[in-house]
């Protein structure tokens, strides 16, 4: 048993940061701890992610715009730091866990000032800018991949491989078999470009599917998430090609769609990769070329090298290339099932448990040394051990 404590989570307001933070919040509360969230205006707008969690908006700003922009950003960050310090004096956290994004920086700055133990979680296969900025000062660095670019070797002693937490509904898919596919059966394709869709997928995928052999094309059933401005054109394309397709701008039931799909065509965001590998779904991945430090290409590497996915650079993502790659996987049912198993093999389904264990472990180390500002509130069970990264 471990004493229940109070934790502050900090995350920038994108789904890639907020979803793993929400998963950790739920796990810590399940263990009897109290949790508060610091984010920006975007982060507090995610519906139902942080039910029961005290949430505060802190000022934050991107470090851009030259000397004048940097000065304004620094002033904004210092204001956020002061607000976070006020919360810490009231809440007395045992640790601050940050998930990246500029909104997490004021929370970390305040934690350093208050001598509260800190952990950063990196969702991508390239260490993000804020996490690089604070890496020397934090007490733990939790990673989602065994190899993380731009993570210096000198931080290996405090780096831990835990994976990227995903929603419980996605984890439940590991308990279900890959949907059977016989040679004459319906071939179900899920196309998703993240929370806002992706125009390149809308431009290429319908035409690529239309190039498949007639006997294959007639078996297709598609769910396609598209941007609002693209949806009418995407709907027209599928109708012209005679391919049954459901088109939507948002998929609130994505776990159910993953369970339904035989193959996924998607960007290579951290949450997308984590969900594909947790559920065991083969994918064709088109990394966002403008992603910071090209981190989506790095994200796609592990699943592709394992045989669970195929990565196509956006410059090479044509209808002809897509049709070729789908035929390589889809014309042989066993090949598709093998790819699904390969994707599943690199999943880390215990990520949220291992991350929570890491949080409790570092907090316990500080408490035993008489450091920090935390005080226990009640009892909670001790979780399983976490894994140290081999990166």
């Amino acid at each position: 048993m471990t004493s229940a404590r109070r934790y502050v989570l900090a995350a920038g307001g994108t789904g890639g940061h907020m979803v793993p933070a929400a998963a950790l919040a739920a796990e810590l509360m399940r263990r009897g701890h109290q949790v508060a969230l610091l984010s920006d205006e975007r982060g507090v707008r995610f519906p139902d992610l942080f039910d029961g969690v005290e949430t505060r908006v802190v000022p934050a700003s991107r470090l851009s715009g030259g000397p004048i922009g940097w000065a304004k950003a620094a002033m904004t960050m210092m204001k956020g730091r002061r607000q976070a310090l006020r919360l810490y004096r009231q809440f007395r956290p045992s640790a601050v866990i940050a998930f990246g994004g500029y909104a997490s920086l004021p929370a970390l700055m305040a934690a350093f000032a208050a001598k509260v133990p800190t952990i950063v979680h990196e969702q991508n296969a390239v260490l993000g800018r804020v996490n690089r900025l604070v890496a020397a000062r934090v007490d733990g660095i939790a990673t989602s991949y065994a190899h993380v670019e731009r993570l210096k070797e000198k931080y290996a002693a405090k780096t831990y491989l835990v994976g990227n937490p995903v929603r419980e509904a996605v984890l439940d898919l590991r308990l279900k078999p890959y949907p059977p596919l016989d040679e004459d059966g319906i071939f179900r394709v899920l196309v998703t470009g993240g929370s806002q869709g992706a125009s390149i997928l809308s431009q290429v995928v319908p035409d690529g599917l239309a190039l498949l052999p007639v006997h294959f094309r007639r078996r297709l059933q598609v769910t396609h998430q598209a941007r609002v401005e693209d949806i009418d054109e995407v709907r027209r394309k599928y109708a012209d090609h005679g391919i049954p397709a459901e088109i939507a701008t948002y998929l609130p039931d994505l776990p159910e769609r993953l369970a339904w799909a035989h193959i996924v065509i998607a960007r290579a965001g951290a949450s997308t990769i984590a969900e594909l590998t947790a559920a065991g779904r083969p994918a064709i991945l088109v990394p966002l070329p403008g992603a910071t430090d090209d981190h989506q290409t790095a994200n796609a590497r592990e699943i592709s090298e394992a045989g669970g996915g195929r990565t196509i650079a956006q410059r090479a993502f044509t209808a002809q290339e897509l049709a070729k790659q789908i035929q390589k996987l889809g014309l042989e049912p066993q090949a598709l099932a093998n790819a699904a198993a390969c994707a599943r093999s690199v999943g880390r389904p215990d990520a949220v448990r291992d991350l929570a264990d890491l949080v409790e472990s570092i907090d316990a180390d500080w408490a035993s040394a008489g450091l920090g500002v935390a005080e226990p509130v009640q009892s909670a069970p001790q979780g399983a051990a976490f894994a140290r990264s081999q990166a």
Side-chain angles (χ1 to χ4, degrees):
M1 302 292 285
T2 184
S3 296
R5 295 183 175 274
R6 304 181 182 99
Y7 295 106
V8 169
L9 309 187
T14 65
H17 300 309
M18 302 302 290
V19 169
L24 178 62
E27 175 65 14
L28 291 174
M29 290 190 294
R30 186 190 68 78
R31 298 183 183 199
H33 302 302
Q34 295 180 18
V35 178
L37 171 71
L38 295 181
S39 188
D40 55 21
E41 292 284 357
R42 298 172 303 159
V44 299
R45 293 175 184 167
F46 281 79
D48 305 322
L49 267 186
F50 290 91
D51 288 343
V53 176
E54 180 182 353
T55 302
R56 303 277 185 93
V57 174
V58 293
S61 178
R62 294 181 63 87
L63 301 173
S64 60
I68 294 176
W70 299 336
K72 290 181 178 179
M75 292 175 62
T76 302
M77 292 292 187
M78 292 307 295
K79 182 179 178 182
R81 175 183 177 274
R82 289 193 296 271
Q83 291 189 13
L85 276 170
R86 284 198 291 272
L87 171 65
Y88 297 170
R89 284 193 288 269
Q90 299 166 6
F91 194 70
R92 296 183 64 79
S94 297
V96 173
I97 304 94
F99 288 81
Y102 286 97
S104 67
L105 187 53
L108 287 166
M109 292 165 59
F112 299 150
K115 294 182 169 47
V116 178
T118 52
I119 295 171
V120 293
H121 179 270
E122 179 55 62
Q123 298 89 53
N124 293 300
V126 181
L127 197 65
R129 291 179 178 178
V130 170
N131 287 347
R132 293 202 298 269
L133 187 64
V134 301
R137 299 192 63 183
V138 298
D139 301 288
I141 300 171
T143 68
S144 301
Y145 295 87
H147 175 70
V148 178
E149 297 175 17
R150 299 210 175 191
L151 176 57
K152 294 180 180 179
E153 187 176 348
K154 66 182 180 181
Y155 302 137
K158 61 178 180 181
T159 299
Y160 302 87
L161 173 61
V162 299
N164 193 11
V166 299
R167 292 167 286 184
E168 195 69 34
V170 175
L171 287 180
D172 288 344
L173 299 183
R174 290 184 75 83
L175 304 176
K176 302 176 182 179
Y178 179 73
L181 177 68
D182 58 48
E183 293 183 359
D184 299 318
I186 297 298
F187 186 81
R188 302 192 291 266
V189 181
L190 173 63
V191 185
T192 173
S195 60
Q196 298 300 317
S199 289
I200 187 65
L201 301 184
S202 296
Q203 293 163 16
V204 172
V205 172
D207 294 338
L209 297 179
L211 293 178
L212 293 171
V214 173
H215 71 280
F216 193 175
R217 189 170 69 245
R218 287 175 176 170
R219 297 166 50 205
L220 292 175
Q221 187 170 335
V222 180
T223 295
H224 189 128
Q225 180 197 19
R227 297 170 65 91
V228 173
E229 57 266 36
D230 298 331
I231 196 165
D232 289 340
E233 178 65 10
V234 173
R235 188 175 284 117
R236 182 194 65 77
K237 282 187 173 185
Y238 280 117
D240 288 349
H241 295 318
I243 298 173
E246 178 183 353
I247 321 297
T249 58
Y250 177 61
L251 299 175
D253 57 344
L254 187 59
E256 288 81 1
R257 304 289 183 165
L258 274 176
W260 167 90
H262 289 111
I263 194 168
V264 179
I265 304 171
R267 287 298 199 191
S271 292
T272 297
I273 301 296
E275 292 184 343
L276 289 171
T277 56
R281 289 297 180 272
I284 293 174
L285 301 167
V286 186
L288 176 67
T292 305
D293 301 316
D294 197 23
H295 67 257
Q296 287 205 4
T297 298
N299 290 349
R301 191 167 296 128
E302 185 177 58
I303 185 174
S304 295
E305 290 179 350
R310 296 173 185 251
T311 301
I312 306 174
Q314 184 164 309
R315 64 182 179 277
F317 186 59
T318 64
Q320 293 77 11
E321 181 64 20
L322 175 63
K324 181 175 72 174
Q325 295 300 333
I326 287 182
Q327 286 186 78
K328 286 181 178 179
L329 285 170
L331 287 176
E332 174 53 57
Q334 191 55 50
L336 202 62
N338 290 343
C342 291
R344 192 179 189 276
S345 72
V346 292
R348 296 183 175 89
D350 297 325
V352 69
R353 182 203 69 187
D354 291 347
L355 181 56
D357 290 344
L358 175 61
V359 169
E360 290 181 336
S361 174
I362 287 183
D363 171 28
D365 289 344
W366 274 58
S368 65
L371 302 173
V373 296
E375 52 189 24
V377 290
Q378 58 182 0
S379 297
Q382 176 68 45
F386 49 83
R388 185 175 297 277
S389 172
Q390 299 303 312

